[in-house]
Amino acid sequence: MAFRFRPVEGAFFDLFTQQAQHLTVGAGLLAEMLADGADHEDVARRMRDAEHAADETTHEIVRKVNSTFITPFDREDIYGLASGLDDVMDEMDEVVDMILLYEVKSLPAELGAQVEVLQRCAELTAEAMPRLRTMQDLSEYWIEINRLENAGDKNHRRTLANLFSGNYKALEVLKLKDIVEALERAVDAFETVANTVEQIAVKES
């Protein structure tokens, strides 16, 4: 029987947990950006700070991989997971930035449902990252993320249908469609993270 040595040093797991916690902050700021009367400039500034903090955690993971002889799981999976988490944050940051730069004053109500999906995905991801230490009790995480991604797809289609219903001016449609598509990419990015976690768990089982 072959045994695989796994280092007990837990810095990678702490960093992945920290990276996922940045996403809960980002999702919360995204919800705040959509709220009536939100100070868009203030929220966008705080989102930029959160995105920079997430970037620094990503860089720290990469530095840790490059300076560690034996990693807790395959290096390409560590890179893939770090990159996937970073992609989620980038997409949420893009949404906030577009709302600010496009000077969008009124957002379709359907966007709230999509942001709720993102917030739940962020919460589940933050809860799952510490369990990478043992690779236990992770299947419910990726199953639920997949369900949420399907719900996000339905929200996306309903929102697009509303945009093209004739209730919006052509320029508004163009602006809002960019925002809607970025929200969809953020939900998809969460599913990519969950798929990466599943691949890691299968390899390590």
Side-chain angles (χ1 to χ4, degrees):
M1 179 182 296
F3 292 91
R4 179 173 181 176
F5 174 71
R6 292 175 58 88
V8 296
E9 190 272 327
F12 283 106
F13 306 112
D14 293 339
L15 287 167
F16 281 128
T17 299
Q18 182 179 326
Q19 200 178 19
Q21 288 168 347
H22 291 310
L23 300 184
T24 65
V25 172
L29 288 169
L30 185 53
E32 190 176 338
M33 193 70 167
L34 267 62
D36 291 338
D39 184 337
H40 287 176
E41 289 190 3
D42 177 65
V43 177
R45 176 188 56 77
R46 286 185 282 133
M47 177 62 99
R48 284 193 295 271
D49 290 343
E51 195 272 335
H52 290 157
D55 276 347
E56 183 52 42
T57 303
T58 303
H59 296 326
E60 180 60 26
I61 292 170
V62 173
R63 288 192 291 266
K64 191 72 178 172
V65 172
N66 293 338
S67 63
T68 301
F69 181 63
I70 300 177
T71 55
F73 43 89
D74 290 346
R75 290 172 189 271
E76 65 266 24
D77 291 328
I78 293 175
Y79 287 128
L81 183 54
S83 176
L85 290 164
D86 188 59
D87 287 345
V88 176
M89 194 68 175
D90 286 345
E91 294 294 351
M92 292 193 294
D93 178 52
E94 183 178 349
V95 172
V96 168
D97 200 37
M98 283 192 294
I99 293 172
L100 176 67
L101 294 176
Y102 288 177
E103 299 182 343
V104 177
K105 304 301 181 186
S106 179
L107 292 159
E110 293 90 347
L111 294 190
Q114 197 75 319
V115 172
E116 287 177 6
V117 168
L118 285 169
Q119 287 184 288
R120 184 57 182 151
C121 286
E123 291 168 1
L124 289 170
T125 303
E127 291 169 4
M129 290 300 106
R131 299 203 292 273
L132 288 170
R133 291 177 184 269
T134 61
M135 298 294 170
Q136 301 297 313
D137 304 318
L138 282 166
S139 61
E140 290 183 2
Y141 155 67
W142 61 68
I143 290 170
E144 180 62 10
I145 291 290
N146 179 261
R147 187 194 70 77
L148 287 166
E149 193 276 335
N150 289 335
D153 280 346
K154 292 179 181 178
N155 290 339
H156 179 65
R157 291 191 292 271
R158 283 194 293 267
T159 306
L160 287 179
N162 181 26
L163 283 185
F164 292 106
S165 65
N167 294 326
Y168 296 88
K169 296 178 180 178
L171 183 58
E172 287 181 295
V173 171
L174 291 174
K175 293 178 178 180
L176 292 171
K177 187 173 184 295
D178 281 350
I179 294 167
V180 169
E181 296 295 348
L183 283 169
E184 170 71 0
R185 290 194 300 271
V187 175
D188 288 345
F190 268 118
E191 186 179 41
T192 298
V193 169
N195 290 341
T196 301
V197 170
E198 181 177 9
Q199 291 166 11
I200 293 168
V202 169
K203 286 183 181 180
E204 296 298 316
S205 63

